[in-house]
Amino acid sequence: MNRRLLALALAAVALGATAPAAASAASEPKLTVPMETLDAALHCYGPTLANARLQPLMLVTGTGASGEEAYAIGKAAFDAYGHPVCTVNFPNFTTADIQVSVQYLVYGIRKEAKVAGRPIGIIGISQGGLLPRVALTYWPSLRAKVTDVLAAAGTQHGTTAGATGPNACSATHPCIPAGWQQKANSKFIAALSRQPDETPGPTAWTTVRSLNDETVQPQNGSHPASALKGATNILIQSVCPGRTVSHIGTVLDSIAFAAFDDALRHKGPAKISRLPENVCSHPYATGLNEATTTSLLGFAGTLTGGRNSGADAVTVPAEPALRSWIKHRVR
């Protein structure tokens, strides 16, 4: 084979190697939210993000809060950790249609990784644990941009809490769009559950949950709502017996932060065997004052509750219709 033919053959091999990734990116759902809106929703804190020396983090808030509010509660812990941190303000305080909110996260991941010049790590609470799974499932090109996801109290399989009774979502008792979608029997959760991989790789996945979770249930038994196949699934009470941890408090717990740090330091998800021996000696992440954090968590619960079901809630009488892309099977 002469040199020209050899060069052509090598070029063909190279094109063949890159074609699947290109095709994957081209076939991903288009972002329908205006770029300027997506960009304005992204906020970063701490050390300079550009060409970051330490791996940058994305903190993904839960239903009823803004990214800025979530960061404010955990700021002291992130300051002590020393990594750049970005957040996203999702529409209507993360109560809107998840199929819209996830577009904000997709944009945020792309921009944060691009500016930093390296992959990021994601830590999320409640819906903020579910959103990264949706993003990395339906936008496969993001997987190379995220080394780790830690989902605390994530609504991965929906929740049975509030499924019955006078406050259950119905045509006569409207709920926020994300509330409908995070119910265990929602069409949204059913569509996501039909995907072949709950932990799309090469990203490593770690989940953390609490038996005391008042919002996402069940958290025990053979199918916990927040656990994922293919992840390291950590029950806080199995590491620190008798510890009481609320839904929102799960993300600030010493176990969650220690697990996230372990996952970032090693290839693959966190391992319980590698957690510090004194991890149960303090309730919250390093840097957080116990009394102050306990008070803030109580306030956060009241704040998010009002936005989820109070007078300020933006509600709808039925679950939002599924968009065509979420019905597609993705590998």
Side-chain angles (χ1 to χ4, degrees):
M1 181 181 294
N2 62 38
R3 290 184 177 180
R4 184 170 183 276
L5 289 176
L6 178 60
L8 289 172
L10 290 173
V13 171
L15 286 172
T18 59
S24 174
S27 62
E28 291 174 354
K30 303 297 182 184
L31 303 186
T32 58
V33 179
M35 288 296 113
E36 58 270 23
T37 302
L38 297 175
D39 194 62
L42 181 67
H43 301 274
C44 298
Y45 313 88
T48 302
L49 180 62
N51 301 311
R53 182 178 62 87
L54 296 177
Q55 184 174 13
L57 313 177
M58 174 72 78
L59 171 63
V60 189
T61 189
T63 312
S66 69
E68 293 166 313
E69 291 166 345
Y71 176 75
I73 295 175
K75 180 181 184 301
F78 288 112
D79 286 349
Y81 200 46
H83 293 237
V85 181
C86 294
T87 65
V88 172
N89 287 335
F90 298 102
N92 293 339
F93 295 99
T94 327
T95 67
D97 184 345
I98 293 175
Q99 298 167 107
V100 175
S101 293
V102 71
Q103 297 181 46
Y104 287 69
L105 182 58
V106 170
Y107 178 87
I109 293 172
R110 286 172 175 169
K111 182 167 183 179
E112 184 177 10
K114 181 177 180 180
V115 173
R118 59 187 299 177
I120 69 173
I122 296 177
I123 181 169
I125 172 66
S126 192
Q127 186 188 154
L130 175 67
L131 282 166
R133 180 180 167 209
V134 179
L136 270 64
T137 294
Y138 293 98
W139 283 265
S141 64
L142 296 179
R143 299 171 192 174
K145 304 180 189 299
V146 181
T147 64
D148 297 88
V149 173
L150 185 136
T155 49
Q156 308 297 349
H157 305 292
T159 177
T160 58
T164 58
N167 293 324
C169 298
S170 68
T172 56
H173 190 275
C175 290
I176 56 172
W180 283 98
Q181 292 166 318
Q182 290 176 96
K183 297 299 181 184
N185 62 350
S186 75
K187 295 177 182 177
F188 180 86
I189 292 296
L192 181 60
S193 297
R194 284 193 289 270
Q195 295 298 329
D197 190 355
E198 291 188 354
T199 52
T203 303
W205 295 76
T206 302
T207 77
V208 178
R209 67 187 195 279
S210 169
L211 289 176
N212 313 119
D213 194 318
E214 73 281 9
T215 301
V216 180
Q217 300 172 5
Q219 295 292 20
N220 57 2
S222 57
H223 299 289
S226 295
L228 291 171
K229 294 178 182 177
T232 289
N233 298 300
I234 301 175
L235 177 64
I236 290 174
Q237 286 77 18
S238 70
V239 181
C240 302
R243 176 174 285 191
T244 299
V245 183
S246 68
H247 176 65
I248 300 176
T250 305
V251 74
L252 299 180
D253 191 85
S254 62
I255 297 295
F257 260 73
F260 191 41
D261 178 61
D262 180 77
L264 292 178
R265 290 176 182 271
H266 299 87
K267 186 174 182 179
K271 287 187 177 181
I272 295 176
S273 61
R274 292 194 300 245
L275 298 183
E277 292 183 0
N278 67 342
V279 72
C280 294
S281 66
H282 43 98
Y284 300 121
T286 300
L288 295 176
N289 177 274
E290 183 174 348
T292 301
T293 303
T294 300
S295 177
L296 284 173
L297 285 173
F299 172 74
T302 301
L303 181 69
T304 58
R307 290 169 177 166
N308 292 342
S309 58
D312 295 333
V314 180
T315 61
V316 292
E319 180 181 347
L322 292 181
R323 302 197 175 194
S324 59
W325 56 264
I326 201 169
K327 301 176 185 178
H328 293 167
R329 192 171 177 83
V330 183
R331 294 190 181 276

